[in-house]
Amino acid sequence: MRIYLAGPEVFLPDPLDMGAAKKAICARHGMVGVFPLDAPAPAPMPSGPSDWRRIHAANETHIQGCDALVANLSPFRGVAADPGTVFELGYMRGLGRPVFGYTHAPEDYLARMAPVSQAGDPWRDAEGLEIENFGLAENLMLEGAIAASGGVMLRAANRLNWTDLSLFEQCIRVMRQRLVGEV
């Protein structure tokens, strides 16, 4: 089973080391991890210099070649998940394949948004815009997609750093049990 490993780890100072560590965890659990920075399978790629279009095409090719996806939805450069990771999760869900997620942030989405007021219901931010309050770790569409695909969304009990792979491994174990029926 091939698993696309979505997440902002590609921006770490040592992304290839992180990719190798995640792929090793997948291998221990009988799965093949596919990291976004892996060389893409032969497929039509935009011609010209290596730029953002080639990265996008390569990652879509990776996703199309995988059976499921696990996404690191930890807040990235703000209070919510990395938008590229969110796209990848939605793309895989659009293909009708299972998606799983985890976050290193223990707080609900609402708590991370630092609401300014709750003059009645709903909660509002500094600009007066409504903030979701469903007790979820992320936007309802992400958690809804995960649940609808048969996946799970795991949340750390305490804040974890970017290089901590304990929750990722737990997610891989749950994924294997749900998709293969083995632990």
Side-chain angles (χ1 to χ4, degrees):
M1 177 169 292
R2 293 173 51 84
I3 309 300
Y4 187 78
L5 308 175
E9 289 87 353
V10 297
F11 300 109
L12 289 172
D14 55 354
L16 297 178
D17 290 344
M18 177 58 77
K22 285 185 147 191
K23 291 191 300 188
I25 289 169
C26 290
R28 280 199 309 268
H29 294 279
M31 299 183 200
V32 176
V34 177
F35 195 64
L37 298 179
D38 290 349
M45 292 287 158
S47 60
S50 177
D51 63 4
W52 63 268
R53 294 171 297 174
R54 294 178 66 77
I55 295 167
H56 169 263
N59 288 342
E60 281 196 357
T61 298
H62 283 320
I63 292 166
Q64 291 165 7
C66 287
D67 305 296
L69 174 146
V70 61
N72 180 350
L73 297 171
S74 300
F76 179 71
R77 297 182 181 152
V79 298
D82 167 50
T85 302
V86 169
F87 170 82
E88 292 169 334
L89 185 148
Y91 187 66
M92 182 65 91
R93 176 68 181 128
L95 294 173
R97 298 177 192 158
V99 293
F100 292 72
Y102 66 96
T103 180
H104 288 175
E107 310 88 7
D108 289 352
Y109 182 72
L110 174 68
R112 292 196 316 270
M113 292 297 297
V116 171
S117 71
Q118 187 194 16
D121 193 26
W123 288 87
R124 302 280 174 183
D125 67 12
E127 295 182 59
L129 302 174
E130 182 178 340
I131 303 170
E132 293 178 8
N133 184 18
F134 297 108
L136 301 173
E138 256 305 331
N139 178 280
L140 71 93
M141 293 303 289
L142 298 178
E143 294 215 32
I146 291 168
S149 79
V152 295
M153 175 70 180
L154 301 179
R155 190 186 319 190
N158 299 298
R159 185 163 293 280
L160 301 174
N161 67 43
W162 284 106
T163 57
D164 188 314
L165 294 176
S166 60
L167 199 57
F168 169 76
E169 184 156 16
Q170 182 181 348
C171 196
I172 291 295
R173 274 192 230 106
V174 171
M175 175 185 276
R176 178 156 178 85
Q177 196 281 323
R178 288 206 175 194
L179 300 180
V180 181
E182 302 172 6
V183 178

